[in-house]
């Protein structure tokens, strides 16, 4: 079964500190993984996808097939990074997302 | 329009009441998805349309849930005889082309509270 887990409901860090939001998945096949973000009072939006291997707003995520993980990292957190972060897996048919439960990141001044 | 529009923004229903939730996707977007997001959870897939065709409804939790997109643009999610467990935010999302799920645009959602 396809499943995404995010073990932390809430993660609090101080401004300028490194941040890592954990994501693990179970999937039979070659996974395609994404991170979505929802800022306060805004819509859910795509942050990054593993295929593009890009850095968005200073965030990066590396797919580790051995550990079935896709952790989101940023070396120096900013207050504006405070938001809900959802890890998501694209299903076998490439038509639908399986979302994790989300982690609320709070960056303290 | 500027984005995916959902209405109403909030809906309070008495248990047993029928409700209808509307989604206006971005003009020209072919694919349309409905998700259910319970409190403290991530969005969960309900159903998917390609134009007017409902290609996947495997996520609908019961036969009380029904979705349609008769002209391939606006979609309505209907819930009959609402139950308290139906309380959630219902999200609609659309993308321009088939299979282009990585370019999904989400609406603000309808928050349904069943009393």
């Amino acid at each position: 079964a396809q499943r995404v887990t995010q073990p932390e409901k809430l993660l609090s860090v101080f401004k300028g500190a490194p941040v890592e939001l954990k994501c693990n998945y179970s999937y039979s096949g070659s996974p395609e993984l994404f991170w979505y973000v929802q800022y306060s009072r805004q819509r859910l939006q795509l942050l990054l996808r593993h295929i593009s291997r890009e850095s968005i707003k200073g965030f990066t995520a590396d797919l580790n097939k051995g550990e079935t993980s896709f952790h989101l990292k940023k070396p120096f957190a900013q207050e504006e990074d405070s938001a809900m972060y959802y890890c998501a897996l694209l299903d076998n048919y490439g038509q639908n997302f399986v979302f994790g439960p989300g982690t609320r990141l709070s960056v303290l001044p | 329009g500027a984005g995916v529009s959902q209405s109403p923004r909030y809906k309070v229903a008495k248990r047993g009441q029928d409700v209808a939730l509307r989604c206006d996707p971005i003009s020209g977007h072919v694919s349309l998805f409905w998700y259910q997001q319970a409190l403290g959870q991530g969005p969960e897939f309900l159903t998917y349309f390609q134009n007017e065709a409902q290609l996947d409804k495997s996520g609908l939790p019961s036969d009380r849930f029904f979705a349609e997109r008769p002209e391939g643009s606006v979609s309505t999610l209907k819930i009959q005889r609402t139950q308290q467990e139906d309380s959630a935010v219902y999200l609609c999302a659309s993308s321009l082309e088939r299979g282009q799920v990585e370019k999904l645009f989400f609406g603000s959602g309808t928050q349904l509270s069943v009393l």
Side-chain angles (χ1 to χ4, degrees):
Chain A
Q2 301 156 37
R3 191 178 175 210
V4 176
T5 56
Q6 295 177 251
E8 303 137 331
K9 280 193 175 296
L10 174 66
L11 182 63
S12 295
V13 299
F14 286 103
K15 176 183 172 181
V19 61
E20 180 179 67
L21 290 89
K22 291 183 167 51
C23 171
N24 288 89
Y25 65 90
S26 60
Y27 186 76
S28 55
S30 188
E32 199 169 341
L33 285 141
F34 302 74
W35 276 98
Y36 274 80
V37 61
Q38 187 168 24
Y39 300 102
S40 179
R41 298 188 184 86
Q42 293 189 26
R43 304 171 185 208
L44 195 60
Q45 58 186 286
L46 178 66
L47 179 63
L48 56 79
R49 57 187 298 202
H50 90 270
I51 285 181
S52 55
R53 301 188 64 81
E54 56 193 346
S55 173
I56 304 294
K57 299 184 179 183
F59 284 98
T60 59
D62 291 319
L63 178 62
N64 186 324
K65 292 185 179 180
E67 295 182 358
T68 60
S69 68
F70 188 56
H71 303 327
L72 184 67
K73 301 177 184 179
K74 185 170 182 177
F76 307 103
Q78 303 299 314
E79 289 183 67
E80 54 266 30
D81 297 328
S82 296
M84 280 294 297
Y85 290 81
Y86 295 95
C87 184
L89 172 70
L90 197 58
D91 73 4
N92 289 323
Y93 304 101
Q95 300 283 19
N96 177 38
F97 284 108
V98 176
F99 285 90
T103 297
R104 179 171 297 281
L105 174 64
S106 178
V107 181
L108 308 171
Chain B
V4 178
S5 177
Q6 291 188 246
S7 61
R9 186 73 180 87
Y10 301 94
K11 176 70 180 177
V12 178
K14 292 183 179 179
R15 191 173 61 179
Q17 187 179 350
D18 297 349
V19 298
L21 313 180
R22 178 187 169 104
C23 173
D24 281 88
I26 295 173
S27 178
H29 276 202
V30 171
S31 297
L32 186 145
F33 298 78
W34 283 99
Y35 288 87
Q36 180 190 58
Q37 186 173 18
L39 188 64
Q41 300 297 318
E44 290 195 7
F45 170 77
L46 292 177
T47 187
Y48 161 62
F49 288 87
Q50 192 73 26
N51 295 308
E52 70 278 3
Q54 189 174 19
L55 298 186
D56 188 347
K57 54 182 181 179
S58 62
L60 296 177
S62 76
D63 58 9
R64 296 186 295 105
F65 286 70
F66 172 77
E68 60 183 5
R69 194 185 184 198
E71 297 179 359
S73 55
V74 172
S75 177
T76 304
L77 176 66
K78 298 178 180 178
I79 309 173
Q80 298 177 322
R81 304 181 303 282
T82 52
Q83 303 295 314
Q84 285 187 321
E85 61 263 28
D86 300 335
S87 295
V89 175
Y90 290 85
L91 293 171
C92 177
S94 69
S95 68
L96 181 60
E97 296 177 7
R98 175 182 180 141
Q100 206 177 39
V101 291
E102 68 275 13
K103 295 183 181 178
L104 269 186
F105 291 86
F106 281 84
S108 298
T110 293
Q111 185 171 332
L112 173 65
S113 299
V114 182
L115 306 178

